[in-house]
Amino acid sequence: MRITARIDDSYEQKLQAIQQATHLNTTDIMKLLIIHGKILKSCFTIYSMNSPKPELPEINKEDRTPLVDVLLEMLAWQQKQIDELAQEILKLKGETTKPKIKPSTMDKEGAPGSDDSSSKRKKGPRRSKKGNLKIDETQIIQPDEIPEGSRFKGYQDRVIQDITFQTHNIRYRLAEYITPEGLTILGQLPEDIQGGSFGKSLIAFILYQYHHQHVTQPLLLEQIRDLGVDISSGKLSYILTEDLDDFHAEKDELLKTGLSVSKYIHTDDTGARHKGQNGYCTHIGNDFFAWFSSTESKSRINFLNCLSQGKTTLYTLNTGAIEYMAQNKLSVVILATLENISVCINTAPDWCEWLDQQGIVKPRHRKIVTEGALMGGLLDQGISSDFSIISDDAGQFNVFDHALCWIHAERVINRLIPLNDSHTKAVDDARDQLWSIYHDLKAYKLNPVTEQASSIRQRFQVLCSTKTGYETLNQALGRMGKNQHELLRVLDKPYLPLHNNLSERDIRDYVKKRKISGSTRSDAGRKARDTFASLKKTCRKHGMSFWGYLKSRLLKLEGIPPLSEVIRAAAASG
């Protein structure tokens, strides 16, 4: 909005210029000017008193108009943002910031310790705490004095759990012989320790401490040196990042197997710095598996590339690819040309070269065609177009049959800043209706009934078309209504979750590792972090010990099959 008026214009000319720019009548303009003057006067008075924050003056009801309400709401929102930024500046300067202390839930109804009988936790069956313990040593202790004639009645067992940390260094003396022919023969080291100076148990311990216990590399070096291991920081880094091909291969199988046995996946991403540059880590998974990949981008092309990991053909032009391009409004001329072409390309450089040969040079056209070709490749590999992807409404995940998280949808309303009691009531009513629909959807998942599905859709449409006195709330409900298909996918697929909490939980462990250890410095280090985050989370989903998994793989022990087989078995039994 631009007001074209000169300083030397008359009062009438200035008023006319304001009317042309704002489309307001004279009365509303005068009210705004009066309010603006009051605000400036209040701010000047307060600042002259060295007050840290100005306060808005009281505004009479007769001065309140929809435009004034919107302006006041904007001011309140801006003040909240200013306060948050001020705290962030203090944090960056290393100064004390205002702590975020969550309210206690101890006094709430149903909280632990309250008198509400429904809040009491149900006790499970009692289990033997020490019945399954392995006994490594048995000592018999006799009484100090045994009177003559006493009769032995047996033993009372007391099991004391302890742990021993100590090195176990082995010297292998390789016998050397010279044959009658003059050839030298030498004894060979065991296969599992050839080519190294450290045993597999120690390597398993290092990987467990670093990837599972989040011990930083300097502390881990200090820890194992304190235990008596003579190791350099360079060798420790090598163990953590190199010679891990078997683990990387098993991680790659997680995604291929998980996609082949699943009807849906959860996905989300988070920040992941690498070599001093900001990047992103994408999570893909469900109840059967977890898979992480760190890259420099969070685009839709990157997400489709993540889904294509391990595939033989990435870029494919087929019917599914053409449909995707048409839905995303690719140029009709280019679309008509591509309809008669069949292409299967394996690498990104070859694909870019092919695009150049076809004369597809505009960034938007290249983007849509590349996304479509990646979609075609996934469809060609067996992923159904009806495959569901659950996310938090980030645009890069909106492919295949997309479903939205209800928790993230509700946050848009929960974050609104009401200006008065009527606004507060409107927000509370909208949230109550929203959660009522959510609980009915949970019940519908357990017992899908067609009539109930129609009722839920109708109630959702009524909620999203509601008009209140709070314009920002109306806009939020309108945006939610546009996402009706994605929010109500569970009505057509009752097996879909209603939220994306699984992805949030899975990715939280990665965020914890990032906060403790910072960014990765080498490509091998980044790959190792993604691999072990994926393997560890997948083990946890199936109730498997990650320590047992590491020992099984490094010491070639039986008992834990390949994780891809574990995923297939769980999917078959589920």
Side-chain angles (χ1 to χ4, degrees), residues 465-527:
S465 60
T466 301
K467 298 299 180 184
T468 68
Y470 190 10
E471 181 58 30
T472 306
L473 174 61
N474 297 340
Q475 296 174 4
L477 292 174
R479 288 194 298 270
M480 190 178 296
K482 294 179 180 179
N483 293 328
Q484 174 178 335
H485 174 76
E486 295 165 299
L487 286 169
L488 299 182
R489 290 305 295 133
V490 70
L491 296 178
D492 300 316
K493 298 179 176 180
Y495 55 82
L496 290 180
L498 291 170
H499 51 71
N500 201 33
N501 288 356
L502 181 142
S503 194
E504 298 273 350
R505 290 193 300 268
D506 281 0
I507 214 167
R508 187 177 301 142
D509 202 58
Y510 188 96
V511 173
K512 187 192 303 182
K513 181 68 176 176
R514 181 191 68 205
K515 290 182 177 180
I516 293 174
S517 297
S519 63
T520 50
R521 300 181 182 179
S522 66
D523 293 338
R526 178 168 69 172
K527 187 176 182 180

Side-chain angles (χ1 to χ4, degrees), residues 382-416:
I383 296 181
S384 171
S385 59
D386 197 40
F387 189 77
S388 296
I389 294 179
I390 305 168
S391 77
D392 57 1
D393 200 19
Q396 66 268 26
F397 303 131
N398 190 5
V399 292
F400 292 99
D401 186 27
H402 192 224
L404 286 179
C405 171
W406 272 75
I407 306 299
H408 284 83
E410 188 271 344
R411 286 178 186 172
V412 177
I413 296 178
N414 190 40
R415 289 173 178 173
L416 296 179

